[in-house]
Amino acid sequence: MNQRVSIEAESFEIAGGFKISRETRTHAKVVVVTISDGPVSGRGECVPYPRYGESLETVQTQIEEVTPLLKTGLSREALLEAMPAGAARNAVDCALWDLEAKRAGKTASDLAGLGTLHPVTTAFTISVDTPDAMARKTAVAAHRPLLKVKLAGPGDDERIRAVRSAAPSAKLIVDANEAWDESCFDTNMAACAEVGVELIEQPLPAKSDDLLSAFQSPITICADESLSPGKGLDGLRDKYGAVNIKLDKAGGLTEALRLLDAARKADFKVMIGCMLGTSLAMAPAVLIGQTADYVDLDGPLLLSQDRSPGLRFDDSTLYPPEPALWG
């Protein structure tokens, strides 16, 4: 076997920019892996995340290190041992899924034993800003059924009230990206309960989330950064009622499916989330989205221009990928 492997870094402009508590971005920077066997090719995309020490350069280097194994037919199962969890392994794993599906003339969903995929409703993200600016952004998206609101710490009580006033009918979930602390936790939590927020994602820093063990939350709290690459669910159940599974953190669809099964057995609610990437990054996650309680795969909707072909969106309804894209 002599498979061919290519690695490319790409950049996609974000419409209007994207801001969370710890960073602002103008472009989604991704790495795409293509593995070819004769006339058949499989692709996978990942988004390096600085929060976990990743960059375009480190991810490309990791993939280059396993390229000799990929050329000789490294399997998805063997990949789990050959690479650590993280963005680099995700791109390779998803490329192998795509290659395997196209080689077999089946869908990745069939290979995973999931059968026919169905459309899902994705959240739409409102970046953090001043309350007035967030209200204006929300008003444009108020028709969407599920909004994900990025928060930043002190002042989030005013931000979430402003968002609710601009979207009185939408379901709201919020993501603090570790920005809360003891000075604002109670105030922000009370405001979220007041406006009917359904889920609060990672309110406290992962290193400080033991404080949640003694807290009886009126709202489901979801682990994101506390479920870091290569880390399982151990120690999370007494602090969180939900987990955010991201393929870039799990290190691919193979591990994400295992994590989904473990989360269900441990009675967690599940969100399938994403880093900010294109349709190629979202497509494998649609498989997890079939049974997730919350789907947050709006990355392509936030770009000035997605790759083509891309996923089909009808407002917030996300349709399964066509084989020309992935799987």
Side-chain angles (χ1 to χ4, degrees):
M1 183 176 289
N2 187 23
Q3 297 182 158
R4 304 181 306 281
V5 180
S6 71
I7 310 164
E8 295 183 67
E10 300 178 359
S11 180
F12 294 80
E13 184 181 14
I14 301 168
F18 184 78
K19 185 177 181 181
I20 64 173
S21 62
R22 57 174 166 260
E23 64 174 333
T24 300
R25 281 183 280 170
T26 59
H27 289 77
K29 297 181 179 181
V30 308
V31 175
V32 176
V33 173
T34 304
I35 305 174
S36 303
D37 181 12
V40 181
S41 296
R43 298 186 302 163
E45 176 184 309
C46 72
V47 183
Y49 198 36
R51 168 68 172 75
Y52 300 113
E54 297 175 336
S55 67
L56 291 175
E57 293 75 19
T58 63
V59 163
Q60 290 177 93
T61 297
Q62 280 187 288
I63 298 169
E64 288 167 356
E65 290 173 350
V66 298
T67 292
L69 297 175
L70 293 171
K71 289 182 176 179
T72 58
L74 183 72
S75 69
R76 289 187 289 105
E77 292 299 321
L79 178 68
L80 297 177
E81 301 299 324
M83 297 184 77
R89 195 177 78 188
N90 176 39
V92 175
D93 180 74
C94 290
L96 289 174
W97 272 97
D98 191 26
L99 178 64
E100 185 178 342
K102 288 180 168 60
R103 188 189 282 146
K106 298 181 178 181
T107 65
S109 177
D110 286 335
L111 295 178
L114 299 178
T116 303
L117 297 180
H118 301 285
V120 296
T121 299
T122 181
F124 183 80
T125 303
I126 306 297
S127 291
V128 68
D129 209 320
T130 65
D132 286 346
M134 292 180 74
R136 289 194 296 271
K137 295 174 188 176
T138 300
V140 178
H143 65 285
R144 296 181 181 272
L146 179 63
L147 299 178
K148 179 173 179 175
V149 184
K150 292 290 188 177
L151 297 177
D156 282 347
D157 54 330
E158 296 178 11
R159 293 185 180 96
I160 195 61
R161 290 190 184 101
V163 166
R164 172 52 84 199
S165 68
S169 301
K171 292 183 179 180
L172 299 183
I173 57 180
V174 303
D175 184 4
N177 286 112
E178 304 182 280
W180 293 4
D181 58 25
E182 292 185 45
S183 71
C184 63
F185 182 90
D186 290 341
T187 298
N188 293 342
M189 181 65 70
C192 286
E194 174 191 321
V195 304
V197 167
E198 292 193 6
L199 188 83
I200 298 176
E201 193 177 340
Q202 200 67 44
L204 298 173
K207 63 183 180 181
S208 306
D209 68 356
D210 284 343
L211 295 173
L212 296 175
S213 298
F215 179 68
Q216 297 297 316
S217 177
I219 304 169
T220 301
I221 300 179
C222 179
D224 182 1
E225 286 85 352
S226 289
L227 180 56
S228 55
K231 181 180 177 182
L233 303 175
D234 291 347
L236 296 180
R237 195 64 189 89
D238 63 335
K239 297 179 253 185
Y240 298 97
V243 291
N244 187 346
I245 298 175
K246 294 179 178 176
L247 270 61
D248 276 313
K249 291 196 301 176
L253 178 60
T254 301
E255 183 60 29
L257 287 166
R258 295 181 179 182
L259 196 56
L260 172 65
D261 183 60
R264 291 305 189 195
K265 289 178 179 176
D267 200 29
F268 282 104
K269 288 187 176 180
V270 170
M271 173 188 287
I272 177 63
C274 65
M275 306 303 184
L276 189 47
T278 76
S279 282
L280 182 56
M282 306 301 126
V286 175
L287 275 67
I288 305 292
Q290 296 299 293
T291 58
D293 299 285
Y294 297 94
V295 175
D296 178 26
L297 299 176
D298 65 340
L301 296 177
L302 306 178
L303 302 177
S304 296
Q305 185 173 348
D306 190 15
R307 67 174 72 248
S308 181
L311 289 167
R312 175 188 167 197
F313 289 87
D314 182 1
D315 279 336
S316 293
T317 300
L318 166 58
Y319 290 83
E322 297 293 333
L325 172 64
W326 182 89

